[in-house]
Amino acid sequence: MFIFIKSFFNTFLNSLKVRLIVSLLAMVVIILPTIAFIIMNSFEKHMKRSIENELSAYSYSILAVAEVEQAELVMPEVLIENQFNVSDSGLYAFISGAVSHQTKTATQQTFGDAILWSSQSLLTINISEEKLPREVIVLATGENSFSTIEMNGSSHFIYSYAVSFTEDDFNFPLTVHIIRDKKTFLQLISDFKQQLWFGLAILMVIILLLQLVWLMWTLKPLSTLEQEVKAIEQGRAEKLTSLYPKELAQLTTQLNQLLATEQKQRQRYRNALSDLAHSLKTPLAVLQAQRDISSVNQEQITRINSTIDHQLKRAQSAGHSSWLLGIEVKPIVDKLLNTLAKIYHSEQKIVELNFTGKLTFKGDEADLLELLGNLLDNAYKAANNTIRLTVSQQDDALVMCVEDDGVGIKEQQIAQILQRGVRADTYEVGHGVGLAIVRDLVESYQGELHITNSENLGGAKFTLRFTSLNNA
């Protein structure tokens, strides 16, 4: 249950972190640049509208001084706006319209378009109808147009307004054209973009820092919870002790209740089995003390007593939660080897140790002593000269391998040992009751036990593999 909760919590926390980071990147990388493009587009449209209004005002000022006399356009030599009077000033004006001819009997009109007048600023620039946009040429009286035109290799704005002068019964249509260089406009747009992107970059950095601070502050309780769950898993704590916000308080309280309930259930299970074993041992001791008991009955009583001892050890192991403690393997191995060296001091056995890093067994110390103790004791009994213990981390599994250079185990014996419910008591010296305890302990930790013969040493090879629960 705890492993499921831990897995769910880790998945939830990682998912939450990803979502918060994605939202942060979306804010900084997508939303802010989009707002910047909208602002730039709006500013450009506003500037164009301002220039259009300005050129429209210039057209009215020119129409105010324009006169038509005897079907001919009359304009002053100098305009009020001085830029129209300076050659190549960047502000230009010209008037186009129909050419008329007057006779003694009547006035005749021909409506071929021609340039009737142009400002002095256009003296060095040739304006022809081919350069004018189509929407400018086809304007009807009262209509206006605002577009762009190319002159002298650069782009210009052009505003055109079509009017008609009336003299007696004679109509004189004409169109006023105001042209302005786009250099100033483009420079303003460029400066605005630079300032906008510079300000946006500063704003993005500020928002990013604020979001990171907010993210760290928001995830701090979850990170604390993750660390406490890891501490419980490794055996450095028994429950959650930190203060959490009300959003997590109910979860942490229920998790502590779950931990306490599981420990109590395991303790009750352990006590029940221990009480049962002890209650059976007392009458068995009385029976064994009887002198008139037959050898057959004595053998059965001894066998029952051995079975009770075995089940009592299983009960002690079952009383510890496999996720509650994290035990470093190397000190346990050193302790076992010192003890075995004293027991087998008369035998000169070489023990080779192979460790890869600081490895941890996530379980009870007594269980680890029972596992390695039985395997190493069997190896001492079976080995001729050499014993090899290899402990390593392979992906997400802790692997412990015990080998010896003895006679090994026959294939049919290996198959029988690994069968569920078959005891190992009847096998050769070095592979007795202890192997049954090892097998049961491995199963209680949902691990794997593999028995083969060593390729290098030639004797038996016992491999223990504990996945997921025993990540270093």
Side-chain angles (χ1 to χ4, degrees), residues 211-346:
Q211 289 279 6
L212 287 175
V213 172
W214 173 83
L215 187 63
M216 293 174 62
W217 177 79
T218 303
L219 293 178
K220 185 177 180 180
L222 293 176
S223 299
T224 303
L225 180 58
E226 183 181 23
Q227 293 174 1
E228 285 204 306
V229 169
K230 188 175 182 180
I232 293 174
E233 182 188 12
Q234 295 177 348
R236 294 183 284 107
E238 294 185 356
K239 64 178 181 178
L240 305 174
T241 58
S242 298
L243 295 177
Y244 293 95
K246 60 181 181 180
E247 294 83 1
L248 290 175
Q250 186 175 2
L251 171 64
T252 55
T253 300
Q254 292 179 351
L255 189 56
N256 278 334
Q257 291 176 353
L258 173 65
L259 296 175
T261 301
E262 185 177 4
Q263 290 177 11
K264 290 178 181 178
Q265 287 178 345
R266 289 178 178 272
Q267 187 63 36
R268 284 196 298 268
Y269 174 70
R270 176 190 177 186
N271 293 339
L273 288 179
S274 296
D275 292 343
L276 177 61
H278 285 295
S279 63
L280 291 175
K281 287 179 70 70
T282 301
L284 284 175
V286 174
L287 291 175
Q288 283 181 321
Q290 299 295 324
R291 296 182 179 180
D292 57 346
I293 192 171
S294 66
S295 59
V296 175
N297 291 337
Q298 182 68 39
E299 181 182 354
Q300 295 302 318
I301 291 173
T302 302
R303 186 171 182 179
I304 293 173
N305 195 35
S306 176
T307 302
I308 291 174
D309 288 337
H310 173 57
Q311 295 302 328
L312 185 58
K313 289 184 178 181
R314 289 190 61 187
Q316 292 173 348
S317 173
H320 298 276
S321 179
S322 61
W323 49 263
L324 185 58
L325 299 174
I327 305 300
E328 189 177 349
V329 179
K330 186 64 166 59
I332 301 300
V333 171
D334 293 339
K335 184 188 299 184
L336 282 172
L337 292 179
N338 289 335
T339 302
L340 291 171
K342 294 177 181 179
I343 295 174
Y344 299 98
H345 62 88
S346 60

Side-chain angles (χ1 to χ4, degrees), residues 182-194:
K182 292 181 70 174
K183 288 181 179 178
T184 304
F185 168 79
L186 294 176
Q187 185 62 43
L188 285 174
I189 295 297
S190 177
D191 293 342
F192 178 78
K193 286 182 178 180
Q194 289 180 1

Side-chain angles (χ1 to χ4, degrees), residues 77-129:
E77 294 183 2
V78 179
L79 298 178
I80 297 177
E81 176 56 52
N82 192 50
Q83 292 186 73
F84 290 123
N85 306 320
V86 179
S87 178
D88 199 17
S89 64
L91 182 64
Y92 316 99
F94 70 94
I95 299 175
S96 64
V99 179
S100 63
H101 298 280
Q102 192 174 28
T103 64
K104 293 180 180 180
T105 58
T107 299
Q108 300 176 349
Q109 300 180 37
T110 57
F111 294 95
D113 288 335
I115 295 177
L116 304 180
W117 171 85
S118 61
S119 63
Q120 295 182 20
S121 57
L122 271 174
L123 289 177
T124 59
I125 300 175
N126 181 26
I127 293 294
S128 62
E129 294 182 9

Side-chain angles (χ1 to χ4, degrees), residues 317 367 370-371 436-445 466:
S317 173
D367 292 342
E370 194 73 33
L371 286 168
I437 297 174
V438 171
R439 182 187 59 203
D440 292 340
L441 282 173
V442 171
E443 289 179 356
S444 70
Y445 283 94
F466 300 94

